[in-house]
Amino acid sequence: MATSASSKLNKAVKQQYMDLPQGDKVQAMYIWIDGTGEGIRCKTRTLDSEPKTIEDLPEWNFDGSSTYQSEGSNSDMYLIPAAMFRDPFRKDPNKLVLCEVLKYNRKPAETNLRRTCKKVMSMVENSHPWFGMEQEYTLLGTDGHPFGWPSNGFPGPQGPYYCGVGADKAYGRDIVESHYRACLYAGIQICGTNAEVMPAQWEFQVGPCEGINMGDHLWIARFILHRVCEDFGVVVSFDPKPISGNWNGAGCHTNFSTKEMRDDGGLKVIEEAIERLGKRHRYHIRAYDPKGGLDNARRLTGHHETSNIDEFSAGVANRGASIRIPRSVGQDKKGYFEDRRPSANCDPYIVTEALVRTCLLKEEGEEPTDYSK
């Protein structure tokens, strides 16, 4: 299997440098989403002291013409620190800094979906919206071939791999364990992980997170996964259907609840929310992948534990429905529901925002309401 050349460098040699004291200086890695809406970029600056709050971090800039975000004639873009985490690669006191991107005129870049999400979340903060997102992903060699698959063929059919154990069932657990521990160190609200249905496919779960924190934590968890895979010389793919044919795709199932749903009698509120979602199916499909539904069309076929992209459905414990109500929620008459439509490469900011707009702000129609006026 093809792995990157850098992964074969002597890590013991690197470690002797990483063990050197760094004095009072701190390395802050600024992280942002590029113009594709999926790619993650990063660069590091030295700070004179350890930042304690986001306000301690300076704004920065970068060349947007090299990240699909601006023209070369007017390429400077602003990095605005938005959320800060411990750095599991350089360790304390160093930081990972998630940033919003602003254009030269200080307006949000097209793929800066955080700004609007934060505004919408502030409008419903008394409802305490909680989210949990189940991030599926696929491990690939640098040649794009799934990790651990035979070089000239396919592994055995799906069946033994989901939550499997053993060298012939679990492909790449070292990466999964490393990512899990790195997320815990960073302060990510990671709550679990498991092998998925297709071999070389895994899932980690983040949540419960309230409001804007959901998007912040998931994006940094994705960044950490990319970095861990880099160390191992392999690639992580969030493509919703990385292998065509009779193989499961990759989603990002999103669990959602409000205080009212979690309180006694909340099932009625859940059912009302699902009814509103059913009337706005096309709007949500457009919001649930970066290509307005085109990526998800390869995944949401009505097969392989998915609903059909053109139809809305809901049911208790039904993994082939658009919206699944867990069996325990049906019994307790309160809790949360799971939206199974978001793709693995979705932007969590627009997914969580769309749920709030439809379920709490009770928007209708094909387009989101503009609250900036």
Side-chain angles (χ1 to χ4, degrees):
M1 191 196 72
T3 56
S4 69
S6 61
S7 69
K8 300 177 178 69
L9 295 174
N10 189 321
K11 303 304 180 185
V13 172
K14 175 194 172 187
Q15 194 57 44
Q16 71 175 344
Y17 296 105
M18 297 304 292
D19 289 340
L20 292 172
Q22 60 188 71
D24 296 329
K25 303 294 185 181
V26 171
Q27 292 170 286
M29 179 172 278
Y30 281 48
I31 299 162
W32 71 97
I33 301 153
D34 70 16
T36 66
E38 300 178 63
I40 301 175
R41 307 293 180 117
C42 61
K43 63 176 185 171
T44 303
R45 69 182 294 166
T46 303
L47 305 177
D48 291 332
S49 60
E50 182 179 358
K52 301 300 183 185
T53 67
I54 209 72
E55 288 74 24
D56 296 335
L57 293 158
E59 289 185 14
W60 207 7
N61 56 62
F62 68 96
D63 169 20
S65 68
S66 299
T67 61
Y68 316 114
Q69 288 174 295
S70 69
E71 297 178 359
S73 58
N74 189 12
S75 66
D76 275 7
M77 304 191 77
Y78 297 103
L79 290 172
I80 313 299
M84 183 170 64
F85 299 84
R86 297 168 72 196
D87 187 337
F89 305 103
R90 294 166 172 154
K91 303 195 178 78
D92 290 337
N94 305 300
K95 304 297 180 186
L96 302 180
V97 183
L98 179 65
C99 298
E100 287 193 24
V101 176
L102 302 184
K103 295 187 284 191
Y104 70 94
N105 57 7
R106 308 287 296 186
K107 292 184 178 179
E110 282 71 19
T111 50
N112 177 3
L113 303 180
R114 187 181 190 275
R115 185 62 59 95
T116 308
C117 180
K118 189 175 182 183
K119 165 74 173 173
V120 168
M121 293 300 171
S122 71
M123 297 169 65
V124 297
E125 58 185 11
N126 291 337
S127 294
H128 298 287
W130 287 5
F131 303 94
M133 298 186 81
E134 305 171 20
Q135 178 68 72
E136 294 179 338
Y137 61 92
T138 309
L139 298 175
L140 308 173
T142 52
D143 56 359
H145 195 68
F147 180 86
W149 284 33
S151 56
N152 294 311
F154 298 92
Q158 296 181 157
Y161 309 106
Y162 172 71
C163 296
V165 62
D168 58 340
K169 300 178 185 69
Y171 298 9
R173 193 184 297 276
D174 285 353
I175 293 166
V176 175
E177 294 294 340
S178 300
H179 172 253
Y180 202 150
R181 189 61 58 89
C183 283
L184 290 174
Y185 182 94
I188 301 295
Q189 197 70 26
I190 187 169
C191 59
T193 188
N194 59 270
E196 265 304 330
V197 177
M198 187 178 85
Q201 192 179 80
W202 295 80
E203 172 184 300
F204 66 88
Q205 303 95 30
V206 175
C209 295
E210 186 165 330
I212 196 69
N213 291 330
M214 183 67 251
D216 293 348
H217 282 241
L218 189 65
W219 272 116
I220 292 296
R222 286 174 174 177
F223 169 82
I224 291 173
L225 183 56
H226 280 297
R227 271 289 286 108
V228 168
C229 285
E230 183 182 323
D231 284 345
F232 283 97
V234 300
V235 176
V236 58
S237 170
F238 296 111
D239 188 276
K241 188 72 174 179
I243 307 297
S244 59
N246 196 26
W247 302 97
N248 272 36
C252 193
H253 304 153
T254 301
N255 301 284
F256 174 59
S257 71
T258 63
K259 185 179 184 302
E260 208 176 354
M261 294 176 189
R262 297 186 294 270
D263 287 345
D264 289 343
L267 182 59
K268 183 173 184 295
V269 184
I270 291 172
E271 290 170 342
E272 290 170 354
I274 292 172
E275 186 176 347
R276 282 193 285 273
L277 288 168
K279 295 174 181 175
R280 219 177 182 210
H281 180 60
R282 287 174 59 186
Y283 161 70
H284 282 266
I285 289 297
R286 289 204 317 275
Y288 283 1
D289 78 53
K291 297 183 178 64
L294 293 177
D295 274 346
N296 243 340
R298 294 183 284 122
R299 168 182 158 256
L300 295 179
T301 60
H303 304 289
H304 304 108
E305 300 184 52
T306 69
S307 58
N308 188 296
I309 194 169
D310 297 317
E311 301 170 1
F312 181 85
S313 57
V316 174
N318 184 357
R319 295 182 182 278
S322 308
I323 305 292
R324 180 181 72 94
I325 298 175
R327 191 172 302 282
S328 61
V329 173
Q331 293 169 347
D332 296 341
K333 309 297 184 191
K334 62 181 178 180
Y336 68 97
F337 66 83
E338 176 191 45
D339 193 334
R340 298 179 60 80
R341 296 171 294 174
S343 67
N345 61 343
C346 70
D347 189 311
Y349 294 126
I350 196 170
V351 170
T352 55
E353 177 189 322
L355 284 166
V356 165
R357 284 177 177 274
T358 301
C359 299
L360 290 180
L361 298 177
K362 302 183 180 179
E363 292 183 15
E364 299 176 349
E366 294 289 316
E367 299 298 326
T369 302
D370 184 358
Y371 296 109
S372 63
K373 298 171 183 176

